[in-house]
C-alpha cells in the first residue's frame, strides 16, 4: 500500500513537471514569437548538364541568402548540407562551414558549387522532358535543399539544445545552360534566372520531434 502511494506521488510529480515544462516553453515561444529564417536563391548557373547512359555530368552553382528577421534570437548553424536535385532525383550534396547568425542579420551562402557526375534513373516521361529542355537550353525541376542542424539563443538567457529544423526547400528552379567558354546563355534572355524564395517552414521547431509525435 505504501509502495503504491509512493509510486502514485512520483508519477504525479513527473507528470506535473512535464506539463509545467511544456506550458512554460509554449508561453516563452509566444512571448518571443520567433519568425522563421528566410532563405532565397539569388543566383544560379549551369555550365554543364549532360545525361549520358543514365550518368549525369553537371556543374551547377547557386548563391543563397539566409535572413534572420528576429530582434531577440541568435541562430548557431552547427551543420548545414546543401543537396541538389533534378526531377526529384538527388544528384549531389555539399557540406558548408558552420556559422553563427545574429539578430536582423543576412548571411550570404555561396557560391555553392555542385560539380561531378552521378548515376540517376529517370522515367520515360522525365527523359522526354530532359530532351526537350536540352533542345531549349533551359532545365526545369532543379532544386536545392538545405539540411541544417542548429542551436538557438532566445533573448539573453535561454539557449536551446541542438535540433533539426524542417528541411529548407528551394524547388522548381528553371535554369538556362551557360556556355563555360563563352559565358553566354544558349537560351533567350527571357529565361534568365530570377530570385526565388525558399520554403523554410516553422524553422524553430524540431522536425524529428514532430515525426515522433506523428
Amino acid at each position: 500500500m505504501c509502495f503504491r502511494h509512493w509510486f502514485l506521488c512520483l508519477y504525479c510529480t513527473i507528470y506535473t513537471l512535464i506539463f509545467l515544462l511544456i506550458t512554460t516553453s509554449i508561453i516563452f515561444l509566444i512571448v518571443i514569437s520567433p519568425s522563421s529564417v528566410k532563405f532565397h536563391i539569388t543566383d544560379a548557373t549551369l555550365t554543364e548538364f549532360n545525361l549520358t547512359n543514365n550518368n549525369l555530368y553537371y556543374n551547377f552553382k547557386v548563391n543563397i541568402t539566409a535572413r534572420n528577421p528576429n530582434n531577440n534570437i541568435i541562430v548557431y548553424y552547427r551543420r548545414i548540407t546543401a543537396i541538389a536535385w533534378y526531377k526529384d532525383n538527388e544528384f549531389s550534396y555539399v557540406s558548408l562551414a558552420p556559422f553563427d547568425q545574429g539578430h536582423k542579420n543576412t548571411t550570404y551562402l555561396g557560391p555553392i558549387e555542385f560539380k561531378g557526375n552521378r548515376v540517376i534513373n529517370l522515367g520515360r516521361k522525365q527523359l522526354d522532358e530532359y530532351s526537350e529542355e536540352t533542345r531549349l537550353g533551359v532545365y526545369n525541376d532543379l532544386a536545392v535543399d538545405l539540411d541544417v542542424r542548429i542551436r538557438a539563443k532566445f533573448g539573453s538567457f535561454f539557449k536551446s539544445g541542438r535540433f533539426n529544423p524542417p528541411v529548407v526547400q528551394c524547388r522548381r528552379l528553371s535554369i538556362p545552360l551557360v556556355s563555360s567558354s563563352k559565358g553566354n546563355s544558349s537560351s533567350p534572355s527571357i529565361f534568365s534566372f530570377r530570385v526565388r524564395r525558399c520554403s523554410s517552414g516553422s524553422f524553430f521547431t524540431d522536425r524529428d520531434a514532430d515525426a515522433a509525435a506523428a
Side-chain angles (χ1 to χ4, degrees):
M1 186 71 179
C2 293
F3 174 78
R4 290 182 179 179
H5 179 72
W6 175 85
F7 180 79
L8 181 61
C9 290
L10 178 62
Y11 175 82
C12 291
T13 301
I14 293 174
Y15 183 84
T16 301
L17 288 174
I18 293 174
F19 176 78
L20 289 175
L21 178 62
I22 293 174
T23 302
T24 302
S25 298
I26 292 174
I27 293 174
F28 180 80
L29 290 175
I30 290 174
V31 172
I32 294 293
S33 61
S35 298
S36 293
V37 177
K38 295 175 174 56
F39 295 83
H40 292 82
I41 291 188
T42 58
D43 190 31
T45 57
L46 274 177
T47 53
E48 183 180 15
F49 206 71
N50 179 31
L51 182 64
T52 304
N53 297 326
N54 292 332
N55 205 334
L56 180 66
Y57 297 84
Y58 54 86
N59 192 338
F60 176 35
K61 295 181 182 179
V62 295
N63 287 302
I64 298 177
T65 61
R67 172 69 177 171
N68 176 10
N70 297 284
N71 286 314
N72 45 19
I73 298 176
I74 300 174
V75 186
Y76 305 93
Y77 294 83
R78 291 297 170 253
R79 187 197 68 215
I80 179 165
T81 304
I83 308 166
W85 301 76
Y86 178 60
K87 298 189 183 300
D88 297 324
N89 291 270
E90 178 186 337
F91 65 86
S92 188
Y93 68 90
V94 176
S95 295
L96 308 181
F99 65 94
D100 300 339
Q101 186 173 45
H103 318 118
K104 294 287 186 179
N105 174 266
T106 298
T107 302
Y108 296 88
L109 309 178
I112 303 169
E113 181 177 23
F114 305 97
K115 185 177 182 180
N117 65 86
R118 174 77 177 270
V119 173
I120 64 172
N121 295 303
L122 300 181
R124 171 50 54 190
K125 181 180 178 182
Q126 293 173 325
L127 286 170
D128 291 341
E129 291 172 349
Y130 167 80
S131 297
E132 179 64 12
E133 290 163 8
T134 300
R135 185 184 69 83
L136 294 173
V138 180
Y139 292 93
N140 302 316
D141 292 338
L142 282 152
V144 175
D145 287 351
L146 296 177
D147 184 2
V148 302
R149 185 169 180 80
I150 69 170
R151 296 185 72 182
K153 184 177 181 181
F154 300 89
S156 302
F157 304 103
F158 177 73
K159 182 182 288 188
S160 73
R162 297 189 180 191
F163 66 94
N164 300 318
V167 173
V168 178
Q169 298 179 334
C170 312
R171 297 295 177 90
R172 304 304 177 217
L173 306 176
S174 296
I175 304 174
L177 184 67
V178 176
S179 170
S180 58
S181 60
K182 297 179 181 179
N184 295 319
S185 171
S186 60
S187 59
S189 59
I190 191 174
F191 291 116
S192 60
F193 185 79
R194 295 176 175 83
V195 175
R196 293 291 300 274
R197 181 172 177 175
C198 308
S199 172
S200 54
S202 298
F203 190 76
F204 293 102
T205 60
D206 186 350
R207 68 174 184 263
D208 296 329
D210 291 343

